[in-house]
Every structure is written in C-alpha cells, then in structure tokens.
Amino acid sequence: MSRHRSTLVGRDDEVSAVVETLSGVGHARTLALTGAAGVGRTAVLKEAWRIATGDGAKVMRLAWESAEGEPGVPALVHAVCRVLAGIRDGRLPVRITEIRRAELRTAGRDGDLTVLSTMSRMLADAAHYVPFALVVDDCERMPAQTASALGLLLRAFRPAGLPVVMAYGSEAPGHPGAELLAAADRVLDLVPLTEDDVPALVEQGLGRPAEPEVAQAVMRSLGPLAGNPQALLSVLGALVEDAGLLELDGRVLLVSGQDALRLGGTVVEACRVACPGLPLEEEVLARTVVFAHLSGAAEFRLSDVQDMGRWTPGKAVTNVQIVDWLVTHRVLTVDRAGVLAFAVPAFAAALRTTPPPSLGLPASHAGVVASAVGRMGLAVSADHPRLAEHVVAAGELVEDEDAARLLLTAAGAYAGVAPGRAVRACLAALRRLPTDYPGRVRILRTAAVLAWRDADPAGLLALGEPLCATVEAWPGAIPADLAGPAAAWGLAALYQHIWADGEGAEPWRVVRRLPGSAELAELGSRYGIGPAMPEPHRGTRAQGGTAPQAAQQAAQQADRDRPAAVAATVDGPTGGRHRAPAGMASRSGAAAPMGPAGGGSTGGIAVVTFAEAGVDGRADGLSDGLARSLVGGPAPELRSPACLRLLAAAVSGGDALRAARADLPPGRPGDTALESIRTAAGYGDLAGAFAAVLDDWRHTNWGSVAERYGAMVSAYTAGQWDEALSCARRIEAYVRGPGAAGPSVLARVLAAEIHCTSGEQQRALAWLGQVPDTVVHPLGGWVRLGVRYRSGNPDEAFEGGWRDVRRARESGLLEGLERLLGRLFQYGGYEDRPEVTHRAVSELDALYEESASPRAGDALLLARSVLRRDPDGVRRVLDLAGERGDKPLRLLCLEMGALADKAPEPWLAAAVEEAYELGVRHIERSPLGHWARAHGLNLSAPRRRTAGEGAGELDLRLIELVSDGATNRQIAVQLACSEKTVEQRLTRLFRRTGCRSRSELAAARLDGRLDWLGLPSASPGR
C-alpha cells in the first residue's frame, strides 16, 4: 500500500487506504470507515477526498439526508439521481429515464429489487464512461429503511467499477443500518490516537510548539477519551478561552492551577463530545450538572443517591433512574465502595462551569451528613471520614459544634491513610472553633506534622490563616508550642518564594516573633527572594557582643524559657533526634499510639481525646472523646537557628561565616557541604543550600519554586541549557497560576543569561524586562551587564555594572559577586579599557580577602593571569572547572585564555566548540564570535560525533601522520578511508585548534599546545 502524507496526526495509514479505494486502485471496492464519535472519521474522509481529487480522481457524495421521498427505496432513488446528475457525459436523460420507468412499472407491487437493480446498472454505466467514486458519510444517522435499501443495493446489486467508501459510527451498534457493514469488502476501524501522537496533535491545534506537560495534562483530563481528537481539540479550545496557556520562548505552557481542564462549548456540546449516546433531555442535563457539583465538592456514593429522596420528596425515583442512565451510558463510574465519579474529568469540569438549576447544593451535602449521623450518631466520621468534605461543603447548615466534632474525628481516621485530607479536616475544624478555644494550638501542631510528613506545601501554607487568628486571640506572649507550625509555614513560604514583606506574607509577623524561627524571615532576602535587606553581620555591634553572638544568646535564653515538655526529645521514625511538641514528653499517663477508628495506621502519630489532653469536653461542648486531636513527632521545628544563620552568612563569607559555623556542633557541616552552600548562595539557590545542611529536608519533593529553580541551576552548570530554559518556563507558568507562589526573579535572570550567551538578544531582553531593577543580588547585575554590553552599549553597561557592584556590597551579598567583577574585567579587555580591568582586579582582590571565597580566588587568578600573559594560570582554573563539572566556567576560562595567550587561536577555537556544545545557536552575534572571526576562525557548527567513532584516537593518529610529512593519499591508506575523509578531518582539526596549515598543526603538537584541548596524550615514544 502506497503511503500518502496527510496533515492529520497519526492517520497516514488510514488516509492512504481510503485514497486507494477512492482512486480505484485498492483491493477493496467497498470500504467501511468506522470508529467512535470524535476519532476523526469525517476528517479522514475529507483528507482522503482532497488527496484523491488532487491526484485526478472524481469523487461524488451520496446526499441521503436531503433526499426527497419516503425513507427507503424512494429516498435512495432521489439521492442516486442527484449523483448521476453530476456525471456530465450526455447520457443523463437515458439513466434517469431507466430508473423512473422501473419505479413506475413496479409501483404498488413490491418491486424494490427491480428498482435497485436498475440503479446499480445505471451507476455502473456512469462509472464506465466517467470513472468516479461514491462517498456515503454519517451512515449511523441514516433512516433505517434507507440504510437497508442501500445495504441491499451494495450487497446484491453491486455496481461494477464503482468504488464506494462509507463512514459509520461504531457508537450506535444497534442501528439497523449496521447491515451496511456486511456489504463492505473491508472494514477500517479508526482507533484512538496513541500516546505518542497526542503531543503532535496538541502542537498542531495550538499552532506552536508546546511543552510535554500540556499534552499530559490534557490526556489526564480526558480519561478514556485521551486519544479522541475531537475531545482533545475541545479541551485545547477551552484552555485558550480561559487564558490557561502561556507562551514563553516560542513554546506554550500550561499555567499552574489549570489541573481541572474542561471541555469547551456549552453543556450540550460537551455532552455530545463526552457521551454522544446520552439523551439530551432537560431533566437529565440538569441532574447531571447537580451530580457534577456534588461530586466535585465531596465524595458522593450510591447510598447518598438513595438518601436524596429525604431531602427532595418525590424525586427519589427520578434520581435513581438518572444515575442508572448515567452509569449505563458510561458517564459515571462506580467503584466497589459505591463511590460515583465522572469517567471523563474534563466533562465534569465543564458541567461545573454551569450553575446548578437550584441553589440547594449545601442542603444536599447537609442531607448526606444528617442521614449518616441519624443512622450512626456523631461517631460516624470515624468509620466514614469522607463526611468531612460534606461538612465543609454544607457550610453553616451544620452546627459549628457538630461540625468540629465530625471534622476532628475524620482527621483521626484519615491521619494514617490520607494525611492531606486529615490536614484539610483539621484546618476546617479550626475555622469552626472559637478563636479562644484552648485546643487550637494542639490542632495546629497536628496539622503541621501531617502536612510535613505528607510533603504537602499547600497544606503547610494553609496554616498561615489559623496561625494568625490564634495569635491574635491569644492573650500575652505567643505560646512556644506554635514554633513548630510557624517554622513549617515559614519554610514552605520560602520554598514558594513568598518573601517577608510581599503579598500573602501576613504570617511572617508571627514567625518573626518566635525564638528559633525569626531567622527564616531574614533568610529569603539573602537568596534573591524579594528586595535585599541590609547585611546584619557587618559593622553592627550589639550589647553583649557581635550580632551573631547576641542572636545566639537570645536563642539560648528562649530555649531555657521554653517549657520542659517542649524541650524534651523523642526518637522520630528515621531514628533521629527531634524536638518534641508539647505533651509528648515521657509521662506515665500518656495515651499509647492507636489506629484510627476505621482501621489503618496513623504512622506513629498518637490519637488522644480532648479529655486526655487536659481540655474539659463538657465545658466547650466536645464531650465523650468523640472529637479527636492528633499530636506526634517529629514536629517540623528547626533543629537549630544556627543552621539558618549559617545559610545567611554563607552569602557574605569571611568573619560572618566563620562565626556562624562556630555556633554549629563540631564537624557539621563539613568542608564539602560548606562549599555546596556557598556555591548555592552564589546562584540564590535556597533549596540547594538547605539540602547541604539539613539532610531530612533534602527529600521534600514539593515541586516548589525553590526546588524548580535548584534544578535549573544544576542544569545550567552542567551545560544542559535547553533543560535549564525548560525549568525556567515551568517556574514562570507555575508562579503565574492561581496560588500563593511568588515569582522567582533569579530564574528569569538565569534564563536571560542563557539567551544572551546564545545570541538571542530579544528573548534575553524579554526575560530581563520582568526583573525589577531593585533586585540587588549579584546574579542580576552579572546578567544586566552582559545584556547591556551585547546590546551595543558598553558605556552604559560598565556604569550599570559598577553600580550593581556597589549595591551588592552595601547589602552584604558577596557570594557570586566575583562573576560580575570577572565579566567587567573580561569586557574591559575586549574594549581595551585598562581603567576597567585594573579596577576589576582591585575589587576582586578586596573581595577575596574579605569573603575568602574559592570562587573569588578563581576569578582573581584568571584576571591576574590575563594581565601577566600567563596562560598556565588560566589552565589551572580550567582544570578546576572540569573537576566541578562547571561548563559555563570552562567557557569563561577558554575566553580568558585567549586574552592571556600570545597565540589566541587555539583558545578561541576551543571556546567556539565549547559554546556549540552548550547549545549556543548564534555564536556569530556574540563577542566571542566577533573575536574568533577577526582571527580568521570558521564559526560553522561542528558535526556531532557519533558513539563509537573514536574521534580522539583518529585525530591523534592524523596529527602524528601529518607531523611525519605524510600526504593525504598516504594518510588515507594508513587510516583505511578516502582522501576526501582525510580532507574533512583536517579541516575540522584546523577549526578546532586554530591552526591554518599542516606545518602549524605539527608545530602546535610538538610544543604541547594541543594537549589540554582534550586530545589524548602522545605516545611515550614520540
């Protein structure tokens, strides 16, 4: 079968089969094209029609839907006559007369067979004189009598020489016209698109490249319709309409928070896409909308449908019947527990955009609660914790006292099996309890522990509102027991880049007032989260010693003032020692850990009643121990504020860092971990810095802004710049979605740097334009300098660069400043401005003396090597960059080597090749490209080496033969290749080494100038 290229994704084979039949060259003379609704039957038919007519074939359509006459043979006669009218060969009157005469002769005598036989002969006659093909589509909607007549015509009286293609929907197998399939020589069933084809369809539908997450989210939202083209395009249309997509760097991303994707169009249109067989009656649609709202707010079961008769008298039978309809048509699914769910989540989301016909949804949820409580009492949520969602959705229709009792009991049951739901239940209970309720702190701490263990950043951030409300209602000083929830919220806020004075940062004022957590509020600004605050460890004296000593004394005093129960320690599940929350100190009367009432395990969290916690149940209306609060360890408290002081001091280095490190236990962290912290601080990588200090925070896997930015930094330094840009785009889509995440300005900065180095200046300016000039982190100044310089404004670039140096110093942000100073030195060398280069060296010298940063030392060595024309010093830093796996630093070293060496060509050639390996697309637009071209180097991209090519050994052998004076023909014989291959390899070697002739290549090999470029060392005998 010849394969035709189609514009339809994943349908080349199907289109080719239909084209062959329409062209009369296929094995099948009658082809039936089947498939479920939305798989693209009509699209395949139209595409094949277009291709066939383009190849010269004539295709006619049987317009059965507009035929006059009674359904059956009369309607088919009218449709066939209209087809024959389109065949202009002069024989039309003869054919029409024959068919009409057969009709008249057999009128009233059951002569359908005669008429069908005559129509077959006339169609065959027309196809003989003017070859054509016949198309019949939407056969599933054809009247049964007409479909039977057509089927009989094609089976018993098949027109000779007439290819026929029928399109039939398999979603209506009971239709009488299904006998049409029996007349087909071949049935071609269109299956859903494969998982590999969906991304291509998404990009085709959007008209632009898209990140893989877009296609994945669309497929998740469609469930069993994930490969249905019509459904896929419907969801994409709704995404565009809802502004749920974001375009960055020419690629489309899904804005965070768009997990509940919906089908586009009206409810009726969504029904036709998701469930074409569903009766579109007003009552059915109305009840389906209600069920969508109910199931979206809480878990909905079959038993709840049966109970609905109590809330809506006279509707019980109707509700059961409609649910039965929906399950029969596969709109709803039912699991073993009787839980109802929509088979296609996007359909349910589309239904929820329509207001329900009545505003009685809270009453329906309250009815579910009332029915369950009426049968089993208020302890029902221990066995049926799902009622917690119904309680929340019912709102004020459930009394606060009953609601709190049910919610806390459900939290106890959920603790070991669904911690996220337990957290939501605890927080919902806090909203129902009075602000002066004595057990609020205990519930808050329970929610914090559960959210921490479940790696639930949304749950941790949700602690902020009840945390503030509890503190406002608390008389006197803030309870020390709130340190755990406050620290957990603070860490989650930092990981989501919510800075201390930004939007949604009200809980920071609570965090700042608690011992051991105040350092969190100041840490964000040191890592580029929000505007930088004045450096607290420089030039400030406090009573009793330096600022670090004063902070340490305050923390120690707070620990002494803390109640004994808070200071006690318990063994956590990982075997480590952690701060124990209040009430967990060893005591004989403590409640033993127990599972939730519904079975399962609490994962080591103790479940105790309010009476056991020392709260009078009768006094506050929560009696009999039915409302349960959870307490347990390990609490998400910081092990030591000294860890936070170390992270903050790593930004400055020097005396501040040494003082902060002295506060830590001996040997923690080690030198390797400390260097990891300082490297992370230079990029503003908060997650990387935390991972180097606190091992138990390394595995949060929250998908937070900080973690995504940490992944971007790792990809950038490893030279995986496409992956780094992908991380930046994902971060941007994440922070622009509805939520509490703050923007990562340093991710935008690093994306601008990658584009700037790649020669994509407009994209670099677009990213940098989203970074406020108030950001004083050295990374921002480093990139601003590069973008301004490469925009052709060296004076403005140098002026802005020195201003950024001054601001970073004033803020105490010294780690990473060496990049900015090194770039000032480099550009000063390009522009031949000794005043800039000497000032940069002086600043680097002072920076290294002040911060004792190894990276500042490397930058200083590079600068001094250039001034002294000492390429060996550059090679030392180059080797260090290779050991660290720092590809950007390696590129910088190669460029600096060209400045330091009297023969810059090998350095420039190696730098050009390194830039191409990093993915630089437009090197000719960069200063490196201009300089390399000025020295006569070829800037064409090198061919990618394939695995197993052995390029290093062959290149070494080639250089050896050239050094021996061998000709190209002799080299070809030695290497068993053609002379042209030798010429190509020599050309590549010249470009790579910067040599212009064979003699220069041999000389460079002999004096050792090529050894460091990655070629294998010469054999000892040479």
Side-chain angles (χ1 to χ4, degrees):
M1 180 180 70
S2 61
R3 188 178 177 91
H4 294 82
R5 290 300 302 273
S6 167
T7 59
L8 300 180
V9 174
R11 298 300 190 202
D12 286 350
D13 291 340
E14 291 84 352
V15 169
S16 296
V18 178
V19 168
E20 289 183 356
T21 299
L22 293 177
S23 301
V25 298
H27 297 293
R29 303 297 294 177
T30 303
L31 176 68
L33 188 64
T34 67
V39 295
R41 296 189 310 271
T42 302
V44 169
L45 200 57
K46 289 182 178 179
E47 181 72 2
W49 191 331
R50 179 187 65 81
I51 294 175
T53 54
D55 292 343
K58 185 177 182 63
V59 181
M60 306 290 291
R61 180 179 180 275
L62 184 69
W64 58 265
E65 66 276 3
S66 59
E68 299 177 359
E70 294 293 327
V73 173
L76 184 60
V77 166
H78 186 268
V80 169
C81 288
R82 292 182 63 179
V83 170
L84 293 174
I87 307 299
R88 305 183 183 278
D89 62 345
R91 292 179 54 81
L92 175 62
V94 175
R95 296 171 187 138
I96 298 298
T97 300
E98 285 288 328
I99 294 175
R100 293 302 182 187
R101 186 179 298 168
E103 268 192 306
L104 292 174
R105 283 200 308 264
T106 60
R109 293 187 299 164
D110 195 17
D112 289 348
L113 295 180
T114 302
V115 175
L116 292 175
S117 174
T118 303
M119 282 194 294
S120 174
R121 287 189 295 105
M122 292 304 100
L123 286 171
D125 180 72
H128 174 74
Y129 286 96
V130 180
F132 72 97
L134 188 64
V135 167
V136 188
D137 56 355
D138 293 333
C139 293
E140 71 278 2
R141 297 192 298 110
M142 187 181 292
Q145 300 92 327
T146 305
S148 296
L150 178 61
L152 185 58
L153 170 68
L154 296 178
R155 289 198 319 274
F157 309 102
R158 177 173 298 187
L162 177 64
V164 179
V165 175
M166 302 177 292
Y168 190 90
S170 59
E171 70 273 5
H175 187 272
E179 61 191 59
L180 280 172
L181 300 181
D185 298 328
R186 179 185 177 187
V187 177
L188 182 61
D189 188 33
L190 289 182
V191 298
L193 296 178
T194 65
E195 188 175 345
D196 294 334
D197 290 330
V198 171
L201 180 62
V202 168
E203 293 190 353
Q204 185 183 79
L206 296 174
R208 301 179 299 280
E211 291 288 344
E213 290 80 2
V214 179
Q216 294 167 5
V218 172
M219 287 191 289
R220 281 196 307 270
S221 71
L222 289 173
L225 296 181
N228 188 295
Q230 182 183 14
L232 286 164
L233 295 176
S234 177
V235 173
L236 289 179
L239 270 174
V240 174
E241 181 182 346
D242 298 340
L245 297 173
L246 175 67
E247 184 175 358
L248 289 171
D249 294 342
R251 299 187 67 85
V252 178
L253 300 95
L254 186 69
V255 174
S256 178
Q258 297 291 333
D259 295 332
L261 306 186
R262 67 177 180 88
L263 292 171
T266 64
V267 171
V268 173
E269 292 170 340
C271 282
R272 287 173 178 163
V273 172
C275 40
L278 183 68
L280 299 179
E281 300 175 5
E282 183 177 355
E283 180 67 16
V284 173
L285 289 179
R287 287 293 164 185
T288 306
V289 170
V290 170
F291 287 140
H293 283 280
L294 289 173
S295 61
E299 184 180 289
F300 204 72
R301 298 193 177 188
L302 283 174
S303 58
D304 300 328
V305 178
Q306 298 167 354
D307 288 339
M308 287 177 72
R310 302 182 184 180
W311 329 321
T312 53
K315 295 287 186 179
V317 175
T318 303
N319 291 330
V320 173
Q321 289 177 342
I322 291 177
V323 169
D324 183 64
W325 272 78
L326 297 178
V327 173
T328 301
H329 288 86
R330 300 180 181 177
V331 179
L332 293 177
T333 61
V334 186
D335 65 10
R336 294 181 178 180
V339 178
L340 293 168
F342 278 80
V344 181
F347 179 45
L351 294 175
R352 293 181 194 120
T353 60
T354 302
S358 64
L359 300 179
L361 292 180
S364 298
H365 290 288
V368 173
V369 177
S371 298
V373 172
R375 290 193 302 267
M376 302 178 63
L378 287 173
V380 63
S381 57
D383 293 322
H384 301 282
R386 69 182 184 89
L387 289 178
E389 285 91 16
H390 289 285
V391 171
V392 174
E396 298 179 353
L397 296 181
V398 179
E399 294 290 336
D400 286 345
E401 180 178 328
D402 294 339
R405 180 174 295 153
L406 290 167
L407 288 167
L408 291 174
T409 305
Y414 271 142
V417 292
R421 290 188 171 188
V423 171
R424 292 194 293 272
C426 286
L427 297 178
L430 287 172
R431 287 190 287 270
R432 294 301 192 99
L433 291 169
T435 56
D436 58 349
Y437 176 68
R440 288 185 66 90
V441 174
R442 181 179 290 273
I443 299 172
L444 259 176
R445 294 180 61 255
T446 293
V449 171
L450 291 171
W452 183 267
R453 287 189 174 184
D454 194 39
D456 179 14
L460 290 172
L461 290 176
L463 298 173
E465 180 183 350
L467 185 66
C468 291
T470 302
V471 170
E472 289 176 0
W474 199 273
I478 299 178
D481 289 350
L482 285 179
W489 183 93
L491 182 64
L494 283 181
Y495 265 55
Q496 294 290 55
H497 281 206
I498 301 174
W499 52 285
D501 295 311
E503 183 179 355
E506 292 79 7
W508 275 120
R509 59 185 176 82
V510 178
V511 176
R512 282 172 166 157
R513 295 167 57 186
L514 286 167
S517 300
E519 289 83 353
L520 275 172
E522 299 178 1
L523 188 60
S525 62
R526 318 298 298 161
Y527 283 79
I529 302 174
M533 292 157 48
E535 206 277 339
H537 304 313
R538 294 162 52 83
T540 302
R541 303 289 294 182
Q543 184 178 1
T546 62
Q549 293 170 343
Q552 181 184 7
Q553 294 168 3
Q556 291 172 349
Q557 182 61 38
D559 284 339
R560 287 193 294 268
D561 294 341
R562 197 177 288 186
V566 178
T569 59
V570 296
D571 287 331
T574 59
R577 304 292 290 177
H578 301 273
R579 288 286 184 188
M584 282 299 292
S586 297
R587 56 187 176 91
S588 58
M594 56 181 290
S601 171
T602 60
I605 301 176
V607 182
V608 298
T609 65
F610 274 100
E612 293 169 333
V615 179
D616 185 359
R618 283 187 292 272
D620 52 33
L622 300 175
S623 60
D624 301 326
L626 295 177
R628 300 185 177 188
S629 175
L630 312 175
V631 294
E637 298 184 44
L638 301 176
R639 292 184 179 178
S640 172
C643 292
L644 299 179
R645 290 196 291 272
L646 177 70
L647 297 183
V651 178
S652 302
D655 294 338
L657 181 60
R658 284 188 287 272
R661 193 177 184 186
D663 292 343
L664 293 171
R668 186 172 187 243
D671 292 338
T672 302
L674 182 61
E675 286 310 306
S676 298
I677 296 172
R678 300 188 73 171
T679 301
Y683 284 100
D685 178 10
L686 184 68
F690 267 121
V693 176
L694 301 174
D695 294 337
D696 52 337
W697 288 5
R698 183 190 302 271
H699 306 291
T700 48
N701 295 325
W702 291 344
S704 61
V705 177
E707 290 171 308
R708 293 167 192 245
Y709 177 62
M712 180 184 181
V713 170
S714 298
Y716 171 76
T717 56
Q720 301 168 359
W721 284 7
D722 287 339
E723 177 61 26
L725 286 174
S726 181
C727 289
R729 290 190 291 265
R730 292 189 187 104
I731 291 171
E732 199 65 22
Y734 181 66
V735 302
R736 293 196 189 187
S744 176
V745 292
L746 294 188
R748 298 171 179 174
V749 165
L750 204 53
E753 167 64 18
I754 294 174
H755 282 304
C756 181
T757 305
S758 300
E760 299 170 326
Q761 197 69 6
Q762 293 302 316
R763 289 184 175 177
L765 289 170
W767 279 99
L768 196 59
Q770 302 178 67
V771 179
D773 194 57
T774 55
V775 174
V776 299
H777 194 281
L779 199 70
W782 175 57
V783 177
R784 278 191 288 262
L785 172 62
V787 172
R788 288 168 181 163
Y789 180 79
R790 298 185 187 197
S791 297
N793 303 310
D795 293 332
E796 179 185 351
F798 289 133
E799 181 182 354
W802 292 121
R803 182 175 62 251
D804 287 330
V805 169
R806 184 182 66 255
R807 292 197 304 172
R809 279 192 166 279
E810 290 173 352
S811 299
L813 303 177
L814 302 185
E815 193 65 50
L817 186 57
E818 73 282 346
R819 290 193 194 89
L820 175 54
L821 292 171
R823 179 162 283 180
L824 282 166
F825 177 88
Q826 181 185 13
Y827 291 168
Y830 286 161
E831 296 293 319
D832 195 19
R833 295 193 182 186
E835 71 281 2
V836 175
T837 56
H838 285 85
R839 181 180 175 183
V841 171
S842 177
E843 290 279 357
L844 280 170
D845 198 357
L847 176 65
Y848 180 57
E849 182 178 354
E850 184 176 1
S851 67
S853 169
R855 281 150 297 282
D858 295 342
L860 180 60
L861 178 58
L862 282 175
R864 285 178 173 171
S865 298
V866 171
L867 292 180
R868 297 169 182 170
R869 295 288 183 172
D870 177 21
D872 291 335
V874 178
R875 290 191 182 102
R876 287 197 293 272
V877 182
L878 182 67
D879 293 339
L880 290 174
E883 293 174 4
R884 297 172 187 162
D886 192 336
K887 293 294 186 68
L889 179 58
R890 177 177 169 82
L891 178 60
L892 174 64
C893 290
L894 293 173
E895 295 183 33
M896 289 290 203
L899 288 171
D901 203 331
K902 295 179 181 179
E905 290 83 2
W907 294 88
L908 291 173
V912 169
E913 185 169 350
E914 187 80 17
Y916 277 122
E917 289 181 2
L918 287 172
V920 176
R921 298 175 179 83
H922 303 287
I923 196 171
E924 70 279 357
R925 304 175 186 174
S926 67
L928 171 62
H930 297 326
W931 197 13
R933 194 158 42 195
H935 284 78
L937 295 182
N938 187 356
L939 296 182
S940 60
R943 180 177 62 88
R944 295 286 183 185
R945 300 177 184 174
T946 59
E949 185 176 326
E953 296 179 3
L954 288 176
D955 285 347
L956 176 59
R957 181 65 177 149
L958 182 59
I959 293 174
E960 289 177 342
L961 291 172
V962 168
S963 301
D964 291 340
T967 64
N968 285 358
R969 177 172 296 182
Q970 292 170 336
I971 295 174
V973 172
Q974 290 288 332
L975 299 183
C977 61
S978 66
E979 290 186 52
K980 187 173 183 179
T981 300
V982 174
E983 293 175 1
Q984 292 173 345
R985 285 191 170 276
L986 277 174
T987 301
R988 184 172 60 82
L989 271 175
F990 289 154
R991 181 176 64 246
R992 185 181 181 194
T993 61
C995 298
R996 304 179 185 179
S997 65
R998 301 162 77 98
S999 59
E1000 283 189 26
L1001 183 65
R1005 178 59 172 159
L1006 290 175
D1007 62 20
R1009 281 186 289 150
L1010 303 183
D1011 294 346
W1012 62 275
L1013 290 176
L1015 294 172
S1017 302
S1019 59
R1022 289 199 58 82

